[in-house]
Amino acid sequence: TMSNWLVNHWFSAAVLAAWLGINIFLFTYYFLFFDRDEQYFYTRAILGSALAWARASAKCLNFNSMLILLPVCRNLLSFLRGTCSCCRRTLRRQLDHNLTFHKLVAYALALLTAVHTIAHLFNLERYNQSQQATDGNLPAVLSKMHLQDTKWLNPIHSNQTTVEYVAFTTIPGLTGVIITLALILMVTSSTEFIRRNYFELFWYTHHLFLPCLCPQVVMHPARVLELQMQKKGFCMEVGQYIFVNCPAISLLEWHPFTLTSAPEEDFFSIHIRAAGDWTERLIDTFQLETPRIEVDGPFGTASEDVFQYEVAMLVGAGIGVTPFASILKSIWYKFQHSDQALKIKKIYFYWLCRDTGAFAWFNDLLASLEQKMAESGKADFLTYRLFLTGWNNSIANNVALHFDTATDTVTGLRHKTIFGQPMWNMEFAALAAAHPRSVVGVFLCGPEALAKSLQKSCHQHSSLDPRKVKFYFNKENF
């Protein structure tokens, strides 16, 4: 397992090592410079080692502040995905770790800010003590000296000055307080609990873009809203996503949604499930009127790489099926036009839902694909399995009564719905046996717990022999 991890994540490990190495070098170099260089001898006499701690952490803060936005520059990531289309899939997949690196840099910023702030508080206290000292020691003498004109070695010149007064009245102090408070707010609002339950608070504290569109509107069962839109010059790839704003609800809130249309279609669409205050209000608004919509994007995701694999395993949980709707539609269009460049030969599609209503809006697409692929002699191309993870006695009894029917009683499709969670070890073992020499791309749009389970299975069932089966895990990140 460790060998597989190293093979799949060598580039991530190299980036992490480089980032850590640069931080360690910057901190060590500047700490020694300010702690030993002769030009800071008298300043060190007043401040001691706190000078080196403050300046070294500041250099690392500057470096990480330069990096923090790069992993979330979506246009940059989309551009890199396009330019890396000819690169190895291992290299392209590293772009999917952008949010992980963003969080890592943010944690470093928080730690360095704490070190920098504490060191400066010590500095201000030492400056104040040196100014008020009357025993004639070296720090006291140096505090009474000025270098030239209005430049003093000690910026505190009054015995009535306090650390709090300097922090809130000087420009460096006041801006430092404001930036630190902003950082504290951003870090606390980024916790899992806040993001899941109060997404608006997370969004407002993280952002301070965009064409206006008037969509067509389709309502699906289980409170799922489909918006079909057209925009001149709009160009997309499978699995990409856009940010959507509805000024009638909120001028500042932008929410990400995966595109469910195919690039070959003359419109682009998204499906929105009621899952929070904003989506509830959006669906209610569209049931009464057609408000103005603003769109930013599209932006790239891991799903763009699906056509780079011979075999693909697509796993969607609930509304997480949306990127795979785009992929399956696009494949159908490619079949229609006899696309000879299509590398992918087999798709295994898994959809996990808690309730039967969630299946309804996607059934039509699956039924259509099932029929059209059978008519074109591609019936074996798509294998799909639907899992109902939540049910009651009435559903179970109804299924038992109609067990022998040709179509499933829950979905109306040919493949019967399976009750419960997939046995992933069995599923991966079956795929490995069916495709012993293939490279299998595993794509997930779903919760983190499911991601860990699939990633573990990918490692366990991948062979170290390069001539045998390999599973590569890809997860959607917004």
Side-chain angles (χ1 to χ4, degrees):
T1 302
M2 179 58 69
S3 299
N4 286 334
W5 188 93
L6 290 173
V7 170
N8 292 330
H9 299 278
W10 65 268
F11 189 79
S12 295
V15 171
L16 180 61
W19 174 74
L20 282 173
I22 293 173
N23 274 286
I24 293 171
F25 169 77
L26 287 174
F27 191 91
T28 304
Y29 176 84
Y30 283 102
F31 186 92
L32 294 175
F33 177 77
F34 286 104
D35 196 52
R36 297 181 180 180
D37 194 86
E38 290 184 358
Q39 63 177 308
Y40 296 103
F41 177 83
Y42 294 110
T43 304
R44 287 196 301 271
I46 300 176
L47 301 179
S49 62
L51 171 66
W53 282 99
R55 294 294 179 86
S57 58
K59 298 299 181 180
C60 292
L61 276 170
N62 290 339
F63 170 64
N64 287 281
S65 296
M66 175 190 72
L67 293 179
I68 188 68
L69 288 180
L70 291 180
V72 289
C73 290
R74 295 181 177 86
N75 287 318
L76 174 62
L77 293 176
S78 296
F79 170 76
L80 291 176
R81 284 183 189 277
T83 56
C84 291
S85 59
C86 297
C87 302
R88 292 183 59 196
R89 63 174 63 91
T90 303
L91 187 60
R92 290 196 308 275
R93 287 174 62 250
Q94 306 315 310
L95 295 174
D96 301 328
H97 300 303
N98 62 315
L99 292 183
T100 302
F101 187 65
H102 175 72
K103 293 175 184 177
L104 188 63
V105 175
Y107 293 143
L109 283 173
L111 176 62
L112 291 167
T113 297
V115 173
H116 185 70
T117 302
I118 293 171
H120 269 315
L121 289 175
F122 273 105
N123 288 338
L124 288 175
E125 186 62 36
R126 292 293 296 271
Y127 273 135
N128 201 33
Q129 290 176 354
S130 299
Q131 170 62 30
Q132 296 180 5
T134 57
D135 56 1
N137 59 20
L138 181 59
V141 173
L142 292 173
S143 295
K144 306 299 187 296
M145 297 174 61
H146 66 275
L147 303 179
Q148 52 180 319
D149 300 329
T150 58
K151 291 184 178 180
W152 292 74
L153 198 58
N154 188 338
I156 297 178
H157 308 141
S158 170
N159 290 341
Q160 283 71 46
T161 301
T162 63
V163 171
E164 294 79 7
Y165 177 82
V166 175
F168 287 96
T169 58
T170 62
I171 292 178
L174 185 59
T175 54
V177 169
I178 294 173
I179 293 172
T180 302
L181 290 176
L183 179 64
I184 292 172
L185 189 60
M186 292 174 71
V187 170
T188 54
S189 67
S190 300
T191 59
E192 183 74 12
F193 177 80
I194 295 294
R195 285 192 292 110
R196 295 296 180 191
N197 298 281
Y198 304 97
F199 182 81
E200 294 84 358
L201 179 60
F202 162 73
W203 185 263
Y204 286 143
T205 55
H206 254 66
H207 303 80
L208 264 176
F209 291 56
L210 318 168
C212 301
L213 303 171
C214 186
Q216 300 157 297
V217 181
V218 181
M219 283 300 303
H220 294 279
R223 296 273 287 170
V224 173
L225 173 72
E226 179 184 357
L227 299 182
Q228 298 179 355
M229 295 164 278
Q230 290 181 321
K231 176 183 176 291
K232 185 177 180 180
F234 187 88
C235 184
M236 62 165 286
E237 297 294 336
V238 294
Q240 290 188 327
Y241 66 100
I242 58 174
F243 274 90
V244 174
N245 169 261
C246 181
I249 297 176
S250 172
L251 292 173
L252 296 178
E253 287 188 58
W254 291 81
H255 293 262
F257 295 97
T258 305
L259 292 163
T260 52
S261 52
E264 293 83 359
E265 293 175 309
D266 59 359
F267 65 90
F268 63 97
S269 65
I270 57 174
H271 284 68
I272 301 170
R273 179 175 63 89
D277 294 342
W278 189 87
T279 52
E280 289 280 2
R281 282 181 288 163
L282 183 71
I283 293 172
D284 291 339
T285 301
F286 269 100
Q287 289 178 332
L288 299 175
E289 58 176 321
T290 304
R292 181 168 57 96
I293 291 292
E294 296 183 353
V295 169
D296 186 26
F299 303 109
T301 66
S303 295
E304 288 182 54
D305 289 342
V306 69
F307 296 133
Q308 303 296 325
Y309 295 89
E310 300 167 2
V311 180
M313 182 178 181
L314 313 180
V315 183
I319 200 67
V321 74
T322 49
F324 309 132
S326 175
I327 291 170
L328 294 175
K329 284 182 183 179
S330 183
I331 287 175
W332 165 243
Y333 281 108
K334 292 181 187 299
F335 281 163
Q336 291 289 84
H337 296 91
S338 301
D339 189 343
Q340 300 300 319
L342 190 61
K343 182 179 180 180
I344 193 165
K345 305 301 181 186
K346 178 70 177 181
I347 285 183
Y348 293 89
F349 173 53
Y350 297 79
W351 190 13
L352 289 64
C353 282
R354 292 180 182 176
D355 57 85
T356 57
F359 285 121
W361 69 269
F362 198 54
N363 282 357
D364 291 341
L365 174 60
L366 280 178
S368 175
L369 287 170
E370 194 174 46
Q371 179 183 351
K372 291 175 179 177
M373 287 182 179
E375 292 172 354
S376 61
K378 300 282 188 179
D380 295 332
F381 177 83
L382 173 64
T383 296
Y384 65 87
R385 306 190 71 188
L386 310 182
F387 293 83
L388 185 62
T389 58
W391 68 89
N392 54 37
N393 289 335
S394 62
I395 295 175
N397 291 334
N398 187 47
V399 170
L401 287 173
H402 300 87
F403 182 77
D404 294 329
T405 57
T407 58
D408 183 55
T409 57
V410 176
T411 64
L413 297 167
R414 295 177 188 174
H415 287 60
K416 298 299 180 74
T417 299
I418 301 169
F419 288 75
Q421 297 283 350
M423 303 291 288
W424 291 118
N425 278 332
M426 294 177 60
E427 300 293 339
F428 274 83
L431 260 71
H435 306 279
R437 294 178 178 84
S438 295
V439 176
V440 182
V442 180
F443 295 84
L444 168 69
C445 188
E448 192 60 36
L450 181 56
K452 291 179 180 178
S453 179
L454 290 176
Q455 193 165 24
K456 181 180 178 181
S457 295
C458 285
H459 293 159
Q460 288 178 340
H461 293 275
S462 291
S463 173
L464 291 176
D465 189 337
R467 297 167 296 179
K468 295 184 179 180
V469 68
K470 288 281 187 301
F471 290 92
Y472 288 92
F473 180 72
N474 303 268
K475 185 181 183 298
E476 295 293 324
N477 292 301
F478 296 117

